[in-house]
Amino acid sequence: MAQSSIEWTEMTWNPTTGCTKISAGCKFCYAEVMTKRLQAMGLEKYADGFAVRTHPDALSLPYSWKKPKVVFVNSMSDLFHPEVPLAFIQQVFEVMNNNPQHIFQVLTKRAELLYQYSNKLRWTDNIWMGVSVENEKVMDRIDFLKGTGAKIKFLSCEPLIGPLPNLDLTGLQWVIVGGESGQGNIRSMKEEWVIDIKNHCQQQDVAFFFKQWGGKNKKAAGRELQGEIFSQMPILM
Ligand code: SF4
């Protein structure tokens, strides 16, 4: 486990590591960059670099956390990557099922596989399930998410690199929006795209979290939208 600087969580837990790029949102994958650093530092967990690996020894960790935590599951991977066996995903779910004192936030881009596995998983209230939606091309992920048994469903629209027209948030509880950041050839996010998503959330009583504008200096760009900070979480709604 590790404390996290991500604004919408407290800490991370990585029972799997590694991934492969699947869509435009992966272009500047944070997990890939971090993996290279951790591998260079000699961390055993990252000895195989960004290859997909399961870590059964990580499964006991949530039982040892004394206080209730909000946990981002797999910041360094995608739990629903096709190379992760269903049996291992079921083990991860069993740990989450057995630890209702913690909230587990699971985020995937493999929404179709998530949908296919959904009936084989136990969806306790403490599991928040999200899909990443960076542009219009991958909006079908939202329908796959809606078809799962998750009690709390959310979207992570980060990095938002295009508008999300005709957004239907029926059955969802939370939307996070953020722009791309870094020193490379980053793609900017238009205010009108963010406002459109925020308006949909407000119309449909969905919690809205605006994480950042991003850019080359994300601290300076901040996280104000129309003079306001939006940090809603589903649990508070
Ligand atoms: S799905 Fe996530 S972890 Fe995997 S390559 Fe894309 S951004 Fe990185």
Side-chain angles (χ1 to χ4, degrees):
M1 73 170 196
Q3 299 301 309
S4 174
S5 60
I6 301 169
E7 289 81 351
W8 46 265
T9 196
E10 269 184 276
M11 57 186 288
T12 55
W13 171 48
N14 284 288
T16 73
T17 53
C19 197
T20 47
K21 296 186 176 181
I22 181 172
S23 61
C26 298
K27 187 173 179 190
F28 299 109
C29 174
Y30 164 86
E32 188 183 29
V33 174
M34 275 306 293
T35 295
K36 278 187 191 145
R37 275 190 215 160
L38 296 170
Q39 187 183 26
M41 286 163 64
L43 264 76
E44 167 62 23
K45 193 169 183 178
Y46 298 94
D48 293 331
F50 208 41
V52 176
R53 293 286 178 265
T54 59
H55 299 278
D57 54 327
L59 293 174
S60 59
L61 289 174
Y63 295 93
S64 67
W65 302 331
K66 298 227 163 35
K67 290 186 183 161
K69 298 286 184 191
V70 181
V71 187
F72 177 23
V73 181
N74 277 348
S75 58
M76 300 296 287
S77 180
D78 186 335
L79 186 61
F80 291 89
H81 191 284
E83 287 174 39
V84 180
L86 172 60
F88 190 78
I89 298 174
Q90 286 171 320
Q91 281 181 276
V92 172
F93 268 68
E94 203 183 323
V95 174
M96 299 192 287
N97 299 150
N98 290 340
N99 285 279
Q101 73 278 22
H102 305 311
I103 290 169
F104 293 95
Q105 301 159 317
V106 186
L107 183 60
T108 187
K109 284 189 175 68
R110 274 79 183 187
E112 192 168 351
L113 210 46
L114 161 71
Y115 173 75
Q116 284 172 25
Y117 289 168
S118 176
N119 286 342
K120 300 181 177 78
L121 303 169
R122 190 155 78 87
W123 293 100
T124 39
D125 293 353
N126 63 327
I127 300 171
W128 297 6
M129 187 68 231
V131 294
S132 301
V133 182
E134 65 266 33
N135 61 19
E136 188 177 359
K137 276 190 190 161
V138 294
M139 284 181 78
D140 61 337
R141 290 178 188 160
I142 303 173
D143 292 326
F144 286 122
L145 175 67
K146 287 179 180 175
T148 70
K151 307 287 191 325
I152 302 282
K153 301 183 181 78
F154 71 97
L155 306 183
S156 171
C157 306
E158 187 190 12
L160 186 66
I161 53 174
L164 301 181
N166 306 314
L167 186 62
D168 178 2
L169 299 174
T170 310
L172 305 188
Q173 282 72 37
W174 193 28
V175 178
I176 301 161
V177 175
E180 195 158 67
S181 59
Q183 298 308 313
N185 193 15
I186 52 172
R187 298 157 290 184
S188 56
M189 176 174 68
K190 290 198 176 154
E191 185 176 24
E192 66 210 52
W193 305 341
V194 185
I195 291 171
D196 184 51
I197 296 172
K198 182 202 73 167
N199 289 344
H200 275 96
C201 287
Q202 290 178 337
Q203 282 155 16
Q204 297 179 56
D205 265 343
V206 172
F208 176 70
F209 193 108
F210 184 57
K211 188 176 158 222
Q212 62 176 36
W213 283 106
K216 293 203 192 298
N217 184 349
K218 69 173 183 175
K219 263 202 178 151
R223 51 186 300 253
E224 260 186 34
L225 175 65
Q226 297 180 304
E228 274 186 71
I229 300 279
F230 294 89
S231 299
Q232 294 174 333
M233 304 278 281
I235 204 161
L236 301 175
M237 294 298 280

